[in-house]
Amino acid sequence: MSYRAWFQCINPQCGATYPLNSIVYHCTKCGSLLEVQHELEALARRDAQGWMKLFEDRYKSNQWPYGSGVWGKKEWILPEINDENIVSLYEGSTNLFWAERFGKLIGVNDLWIKLCGNTHSGSFKDLGMTVLVSQVKQMISEGAPIKAVVCASTGDTSAALATYCAAAGIQSIVLLPRGKISIAQLVQPIANGALVLYLDTDFDGCMRLVQEVTKDETLYLANSMNSLRVEGQKTVGIEILQQFDWESPDVIIIPGGNLGNVSALGKGLMMMKDLGLIEKLPRIVVAQAERANPLYRAYQRNFEDFEPIQAQKTLASAIQIGNPVSYQKAVRTLKQFDGIVEQATEEELADAAALGDRTGMFNCPHTGVALAVLIKLLKAGKIDKSQRVVVISTAHGLKFVEMKVKYHQNELGFPCRYANRPIELPARLDAVKEALNQALAKKIEDHA
Ligand SMILES: *Cc1c(COP(=O)(O)O)cnc(C)c1O
Ligand SMILES: [Zn+2]
């Protein structure tokens, strides 16, 4: 059976289409964003049971490339790509675990964390990048004169791009805002052989430049404005449902910056509904940092208008974005999924991340934003304690240790409630015993 997919303008008044191998990031007729559209009638010829069985049979198998969480759903992603052009590092299929103790602490029993950062480059960006780089490899094999793939990044997109390009033998170029990403994020593209441009600006500044640079068609744009990324990232919602035996949770909370990921989450879930795999849609909550909250502000105004802002420095550096490219798609998703947008202050996000860590997680600050928002929505009664809630953890905490170190040294300029400082003492038995006595007495008090 053969399936087809193409780029389509998201503006319903326009609807222009373009083949997936054309170098186009916006509709050339009306300027709107594009999305990958699938031939649903063809996909619907296999029934819902058939798709669920196929996806389950492939899940985590070593049948290359279908063991990948993304390529196991190839027909829904890029049906026409040749397997030999797929650049996969076995991404996706990340763990979804019951956060029992954290849930009890904050008053929700059925809380689950989807650890999207437990993957090759340490963030969910791998899910989209495997698709984009595979399509580039296919285009190069068809003779397209692409010399390099380029992105602007708050750190994780560039790490994923550099990794997949290195695996494919394609040159990558990354534009990064100097001093606004973590050391781990900076060293990833360096190690993977990317051309790294470190610029005195913020993400929005890098994004403006990359859009200029990629007017040269030999430099292919890899930001999520390129909707190929969204196709891979949309598997996260499908995978969560599969992990729950195809039953929808009540709420999914996701941190948002450029808003490609929430759009992707919605797109995957909607496709499942259209093809009959699920009936009920979960509610989607976008969590933003208060210092970079253009979506939250627009939500307060009922999405009547949108104003880009100058994003302020935030610990949640991967979502320090003032002019999100996928705003329109995100609003559409929020309207379809009875959406909520909530924000978290620096103190709230740092404490929530640290409290989660105390229960065995190791959260990145963006996951901290999502956890803080969960706490606030529970307090406000907008999420009920009996509901099944999934928090999407977007990156591995090890990419953001600078922030954790400062937190535990109490150096963030607000009280760090859960700071845990190492005790420095001479290497003598009496000193160690004395320290243990004091510390254990205090711990027992804390737990009483
Ligand atoms: C990219 C990223 C986000 C935000 O995703 P968007 O698609 O830009 O909204 C959140 N958390 C982490 C760790 C990221 O790398
Ligand atoms: Zn158009």
Side-chain angles (χ1 to χ4, degrees):
M1 188 116 45
S2 72
Y3 305 102
R4 284 185 336 109
W6 57 89
F7 287 128
Q8 187 161 327
C9 174
I10 65 164
N11 171 3
Q13 269 91 55
C14 172
T17 64
Y18 309 84
L20 290 184
N21 61 2
S22 43
I23 298 182
V24 54
Y25 315 113
H26 277 115
C27 180
T28 54
K29 302 210 167 63
C30 76
S32 299
L33 291 173
L34 302 174
E35 66 184 340
V36 175
Q37 191 68 48
H38 293 265
E39 192 182 11
L40 283 180
E41 306 77 55
L43 290 167
R45 269 179 238 134
R46 189 195 289 258
D47 67 8
Q49 293 300 327
W51 285 117
M52 293 189 274
K53 172 143 191 357
L54 182 68
F55 295 163
E56 278 166 12
D57 287 347
R58 290 170 173 174
Y59 194 66
K60 290 194 180 185
S61 73
N62 276 347
Q63 187 200 342
W64 194 92
Y66 301 105
S68 147
V70 172
W71 297 107
K73 300 169 175 72
K74 180 185 169 189
E75 295 82 353
W76 289 29
I77 312 289
L78 275 191
E80 292 161 287
I81 196 160
N82 297 332
D83 282 0
E84 68 205 38
N85 289 323
I86 289 179
V87 185
S88 171
L89 298 165
Y90 206 80
E91 47 290 313
S93 312
T94 49
N95 40 327
L96 172 65
F97 71 91
W98 182 32
E100 181 183 8
R101 201 170 149 236
F102 184 78
K104 285 206 174 112
L105 281 178
I106 64 167
V108 58
N109 287 323
D110 205 1
L111 172 63
W112 297 74
I113 310 289
K114 176 69 170 163
L115 272 183
C116 295
N118 282 15
T119 184
H120 197 81
S121 78
S123 85
F124 73 82
K125 299 294 200 299
D126 289 359
L127 301 174
M129 217 47 94
T130 182
V131 174
L132 183 134
V133 174
S134 298
Q135 178 63 29
V136 169
K137 193 172 171 195
Q138 173 119 342
M139 287 158 70
I140 291 173
S141 78
E142 291 167 355
I146 296 172
K147 282 195 252 158
V149 189
V150 197
C151 76
S153 179
T154 52
D156 289 330
T157 299
S158 44
L161 177 66
T163 248
Y164 281 88
C165 280
I170 297 169
Q171 182 64 49
S172 63
I173 304 173
V174 305
L175 278 68
L176 297 171
R178 185 202 296 272
K180 296 187 173 68
I181 64 170
S182 74
I183 292 176
Q185 288 174 321
L186 175 59
V187 82
Q188 284 182 292
I190 290 174
N192 287 135
L195 178 63
V196 178
L197 305 180
Y198 208 36
L199 306 174
D200 275 320
T201 180
D202 57 8
F203 170 80
D204 297 295
C206 292
M207 194 62 223
R208 278 193 294 276
L209 286 166
V210 94
Q211 285 183 255
E212 289 303 316
V213 168
T214 51
K215 285 182 179 159
D216 172 350
E217 290 198 348
T218 65
L219 302 175
Y220 190 78
L221 175 75
N223 282 95
S224 58
M225 164 189 288
N226 185 328
S227 54
L228 291 169
R229 290 257 313 278
V230 169
E231 285 313 283
Q233 288 174 207
K234 86 181 179 196
T235 57
V236 71
I238 307 173
E239 205 169 282
I240 289 170
L241 271 282
Q242 183 173 349
Q243 287 170 307
F244 284 135
D245 292 330
W246 311 103
E247 224 178 89
S248 287
D250 297 302
V251 184
I252 301 180
I253 306 179
I254 183 167
N258 220 9
L259 307 178
N261 209 27
V262 60
S263 313
L265 174 67
K267 191 161 189 273
L269 293 168
M270 203 43 95
M271 201 161 166
M272 296 181 79
K273 185 156 190 287
D274 288 342
L275 290 169
L277 280 74
I278 56 170
E279 276 171 25
K280 192 192 96 179
L281 294 176
R283 198 161 194 194
I284 291 181
V285 177
V286 176
Q288 288 213 298
E290 189 185 88
R291 310 200 63 173
N293 64 353
L295 182 72
Y296 176 76
R297 290 176 192 222
Y299 171 74
Q300 300 294 87
R301 297 189 297 266
N302 244 324
F303 299 127
E304 270 151 26
D305 56 2
F306 173 72
E307 282 204 21
I309 61 164
Q310 177 70 47
Q312 307 296 306
K313 189 171 169 54
T314 166
L315 295 167
S317 52
I319 54 175
Q320 187 181 324
I321 295 175
N323 190 11
V325 163
S326 294
Y327 172 76
Q328 234 85 38
K329 287 185 182 176
V331 170
R332 189 177 67 177
T333 300
L334 287 166
K335 289 184 175 165
Q336 287 169 328
F337 288 82
D338 194 16
I340 299 177
V341 186
E342 184 53 90
Q343 62 179 1
T345 65
E346 297 300 287
E347 186 171 345
E348 287 166 342
L349 77 89
D351 276 342
L355 182 62
D357 290 359
R358 284 284 180 103
T359 68
M361 304 179 196
F362 196 72
N363 292 306
C364 77
H366 324 88
T367 307
V369 173
L371 295 174
V373 159
L374 168 60
I375 294 169
K376 291 173 95 166
L377 293 178
L378 279 166
K379 278 201 186 122
K382 290 187 188 159
I383 294 178
D384 187 83
K385 65 177 190 313
S386 66
Q387 291 187 305
R388 170 168 284 182
V389 180
V390 177
V391 168
I392 297 196
S393 172
T394 45
H396 202 294
L398 283 173
K399 292 183 98 168
F400 298 92
V401 287
E402 292 98 321
M403 172 254 182
K404 282 189 192 295
V405 169
K406 283 204 179 123
Y407 184 92
H408 290 289
Q409 289 175 337
N410 228 317
E411 284 173 2
L412 288 175
F414 47 77
C416 300
R417 228 161 254 107
Y418 308 104
N420 181 24
R421 294 196 70 149
I423 303 167
E424 292 179 30
L425 45 143
R428 282 196 332 261
L429 185 59
D430 59 331
V432 169
K433 278 192 166 165
E434 173 58 24
L436 287 178
N437 283 339
Q438 279 183 18
L440 291 178
K442 186 171 172 306
K443 286 263 183 222
I444 289 162
E445 239 169 65
D446 288 350
H447 284 270

